[in-house]
Amino acid sequence: MREDGRVKPIVHSAATDRLDAVTLYRILRLRVDVFVVEQDCPYPELDGRDLEPATRQFWCADDAGEPIATARLLRDDMPGGWEYRVGRLATAPSARGTGVTTGLMEAVLAEIGERPSVLDAQSHLTGMYQRFGYAIDGPEFIEDGIPHTPMRRG
């Protein structure tokens, strides 16, 4: 049990190439359900980055094994090395407000450790990411018709 009285969710993680086909399909379906269908934003969800060797998928599932929250952790190459990029954080409508997203982000941040990381937050969610130590790192921009804000931690 967490300090706020909520049950701490069980978070799973694996490199994409270690996932079985059913689990990967369910993760991708959740992302499409949230980003493409719910947010009415047709965009290329399958961008090729899930197949990069360093990519890790994080997810929480309900009792039936259906993912209810997911996030993707990438490594972005940059001059002098690399940094982590958090993305594709999606939570099923039925799981919002339950603490599952907090548990998911805590697991992602445990993987990141002290390394720097970046993300492009949907602008209305910057406050949520600030609670995890992210700070706004540039001007707002529009991506696929949705305002986003670049953020950095570490």
Side-chain angles (χ1 to χ4, degrees):
M1 179 100 31
R2 300 161 50 100
E3 288 181 19
D4 60 8
R6 296 177 179 176
V7 174
K8 185 170 182 160
I10 297 171
V11 179
H12 308 275
S13 71
T16 306
D17 66 356
R18 299 286 186 205
L19 291 173
D20 64 272
V22 172
T23 300
L24 179 58
Y25 173 85
R26 289 174 169 174
I27 289 169
L28 296 174
R29 185 179 64 204
L30 174 59
R31 288 173 15 187
V32 167
D33 286 349
V34 170
F35 298 130
V36 178
V37 178
E38 179 186 339
Q39 296 181 358
D40 192 24
C41 182
Y43 76 104
E45 168 57 32
L46 300 177
D47 62 0
R49 300 226 45 203
D50 292 296
L51 298 177
E52 293 174 5
T55 299
R56 292 194 66 78
Q57 306 291 336
F58 290 78
W59 73 99
C60 299
D62 64 14
D63 292 338
E66 197 65 40
I68 56 173
T70 185
R72 175 173 82 172
L73 185 61
L74 305 170
R75 286 188 182 186
D76 280 352
D77 290 328
M78 50 188 282
W82 57 271
E83 65 187 1
Y84 281 113
R85 173 171 293 279
V86 179
R88 299 298 204 264
L89 183 94
T91 304
S94 62
R96 293 177 191 155
T98 66
V100 70
T101 304
T102 298
L104 186 69
M105 275 301 294
E106 288 170 349
V108 170
L109 294 176
E111 179 80 16
I112 291 170
E114 297 302 314
R115 282 198 71 91
S117 62
V118 297
L119 55 83
D120 292 329
Q122 290 189 7
S123 293
H124 71 280
L125 296 173
T126 57
M128 178 191 75
Y129 290 112
Q130 286 172 328
R131 290 194 306 269
F132 293 106
Y134 285 89
I136 294 172
D137 190 41
E140 183 177 73
F141 63 95
I142 303 296
E143 182 175 7
D144 300 315
I146 298 173
H148 284 74
T149 302
M151 301 187 80
R152 173 173 294 282
R153 181 177 181 268

